[in-house]
Amino acid sequence: MRTDNRFFKPIAAVTGCLALAATVTACDAGGSDSASGEKVVTVYSADGLKGEAGDGWYDKVFKDFEKKTGIKVKYVEGGSGEMVQRAAREKSNTQADVIVTLPPFIQQADSKGLLQAYTPAGADMVSGADKADDGKWISVVNNFFGFIHNKKELPAAPTTWEQLLDGKYKNKLQYSTPGVAGDGTAVLIKAMHDFGGKDAALEYLKKLQANNVGPSSSTSKLAPKVDKGEILVANGDVQMNFAQSKSMPNLGIWFPAKEGGKATTFALPYAAGLMNKAPHTENGKKLLDFMLSEDAQREVSSIGGGFTVRKDVKATDANAIELAKLMNGVEVFEPDWSDIDQNLTTYVDGWKAATGS
């Protein structure tokens, strides 16, 4: 196991407003795929960007995309790992055109040979850390890992990991499954950072298991349980939970710290890639262009509750202001995603052994 200094890149503090940005990209009208002639594009995606009431970022973007191009979006949703596993099973008969998933699963999709290189229009406005050097994937919505609590039953959020070991959280705490859900894997990654390595993190998570309700393949399903008070604390991510809080008023977002340390998080973007041997490659390219367009990216905060990946637009909507306040002062570290991709199975197996999962 790498030491903390090698496993994670230097920490930077988030202070003040986070820039939310975009640029203009035009989509060709008429967009039937040149190979098949079908006006359809299939998206496999991690959950979080589609609203439960049809009011999410995906809902708006897909509707606008279809209106502009005539291309119908077929949408399949699941946990990040679940979507990659499904795509891998279909490798000999690819069904999806675009896959959107959280790290390290977008890197996993690449290492499995599932992605083909494509540089969408406007990719030059996306920072290098948010896209692959070889064009295999690019972030479309930026996001950060976090936890949620029930503001009614637990008005003051916990501040440390150690507090979650208290008996009052027995059967009142749940986190999604590492290796299956992107946010669940993020619990393991953050614990490894905050506790200084794999062994210390697994020792902590072993203790935490006494309070854990049990596995969950989908992080988005935990928020309703927290809102209703069925559980008090769960993992999540800022974009998804912020959007959910509009219809779930008891959700509060917080960031655990190791006792004596500072609250930390890391970027957990929704990253998109064009599927290798996609049945509708040209339509997939058009959708990626559209998701990075100025209009779509301006709505990442105002509709989606997330952070745009583009550097050339500053969002000033009410959500953007509230999100900036939420992140103010939280320290952001950058995981070594290459290391995590290479060793993910080892880390997840270690978690399973430690927790008996």
Side-chain angles (χ1 to χ4, degrees), residues 44-50 57-58 75 77-78 80 99-103 106 126 130-131 137-144 182-183 219-220 236-244 267-273 288 291-292 297 300 304-307 309:
Y44 284 7
S45 180
D47 49 7
L49 292 176
K50 199 172 192 303
W57 187 70
Y58 270 163
Y75 179 72
E77 179 180 281
S80 290
I99 189 166
V100 183
T101 185
L102 306 180
I106 194 66
V126 179
D130 292 326
K131 59 188 177 185
W137 58 266
I138 188 166
S139 299
V140 292
V141 172
N142 212 344
N143 192 17
F144 296 89
D183 289 323
T219 313
S220 66
D237 61 69
V238 173
Q239 176 278 324
M240 178 175 65
N241 296 143
F242 185 85
Q244 289 172 319
L268 204 60
Y270 293 89
L288 289 172
M291 287 196 288
L292 282 174
Q297 286 292 307
V300 166
F307 308 83
V309 296

Side-chain angles (χ1 to χ4, degrees), residues 248-303:
M248 302 179 193
N250 293 322
L251 293 187
I253 300 172
W254 65 288
F255 305 92
K258 186 177 183 299
E259 196 169 65
K262 295 182 179 180
T264 66
T265 188
F266 61 97
L268 204 60
Y270 293 89
L274 184 66
M275 293 295 294
N276 193 23
K277 299 180 181 178
H280 312 101
T281 294
E282 295 306 312
N283 294 347
K285 290 178 178 179
K286 288 180 171 66
L287 180 60
L288 289 172
D289 288 348
F290 194 84
M291 287 196 288
L292 282 174
S293 69
E294 180 178 8
D295 287 345
Q297 286 292 307
R298 285 187 184 278
E299 293 172 336
V300 166
S301 57
S302 62
I303 293 178

Side-chain angles (χ1 to χ4, degrees), residues 54-320:
D55 55 355
W57 187 70
Y58 270 163
D59 300 285
K60 181 66 162 57
V61 167
F62 293 166
K63 180 179 178 181
D64 291 347
F65 176 72
E66 183 174 355
K67 182 178 180 180
K68 188 175 184 66
T69 65
I71 299 171
K72 175 71 174 178
V73 178
K74 292 185 178 179
Y75 179 72
V76 179
E77 179 180 281
S80 290
E82 179 186 358
M83 290 295 92
V84 173
Q85 291 165 11
R86 175 169 176 167
R89 290 195 301 269
E90 298 169 349
K91 190 174 181 179
S92 62
N93 183 26
T94 303
Q95 301 296 305
D97 301 299
V98 172
I99 189 166
V100 183
T101 185
L102 306 180
F105 295 100
I106 194 66
Q107 290 87 351
Q108 186 182 85
D110 186 16
S111 67
K112 290 179 180 292
L114 301 179
L115 307 179
Q116 61 173 300
Y118 176 62
T119 302
D124 58 324
M125 291 294 125
V126 179
S127 68
D130 292 326
K131 59 188 177 185
D133 293 338
D134 61 1
K136 293 290 185 66
W137 58 266
I138 188 166
S139 299
V140 292
V141 172
N142 212 344
N143 192 17
F144 296 89
F145 176 67
F147 269 66
I148 50 176
H149 69 107
N150 181 293
K151 294 192 295 186
K152 183 178 179 180
E153 301 295 331
L154 191 67
T159 57
T160 68
W161 289 102
E162 287 82 358
Q163 286 176 303
L164 298 180
L165 299 176
D166 191 284
K168 73 178 182 181
Y169 294 107
K170 187 172 180 62
N171 296 324
K172 289 293 185 178
L173 175 150
Q174 190 173 16
Y175 62 92
S176 51
T177 307
V180 176
D183 289 323
T185 306
V187 172
L188 182 55
I189 293 170
K190 179 168 157 57
M192 289 168 66
H193 170 269
D194 288 0
F195 287 94
K198 183 188 74 171
D199 292 344
L202 295 181
E203 181 62 29
Y204 167 79
L205 293 172
K206 179 180 181 179
K207 296 175 183 176
L208 185 65
Q209 195 66 11
N211 289 341
N212 189 16
V213 171
S216 174
S217 62
S218 172
T219 313
S220 66
K221 294 178 181 178
L222 300 181
K225 296 171 70 174
V226 173
D227 182 62
K228 295 174 185 175
E230 294 175 16
I231 56 177
L232 297 177
V233 172
N235 68 313
D237 61 69
V238 173
Q239 176 278 324
M240 178 175 65
N241 296 143
F242 185 85
Q244 289 172 319
S245 70
K246 301 303 180 182
S247 59
M248 302 179 193
N250 293 322
L251 293 187
I253 300 172
W254 65 288
F255 305 92
K258 186 177 183 299
E259 196 169 65
K262 295 182 179 180
T264 66
T265 188
F266 61 97
L268 204 60
Y270 293 89
L274 184 66
M275 293 295 294
N276 193 23
K277 299 180 181 178
H280 312 101
T281 294
E282 295 306 312
N283 294 347
K285 290 178 178 179
K286 288 180 171 66
L287 180 60
L288 289 172
D289 288 348
F290 194 84
M291 287 196 288
L292 282 174
S293 69
E294 180 178 8
D295 287 345
Q297 286 292 307
R298 285 187 184 278
E299 293 172 336
V300 166
S301 57
S302 62
I303 293 178
F307 308 83
T308 188
V309 296
R310 301 193 55 127
K311 299 180 289 188
D312 54 347
V313 167
K314 308 286 186 184
T316 58
D317 59 89
N319 283 351

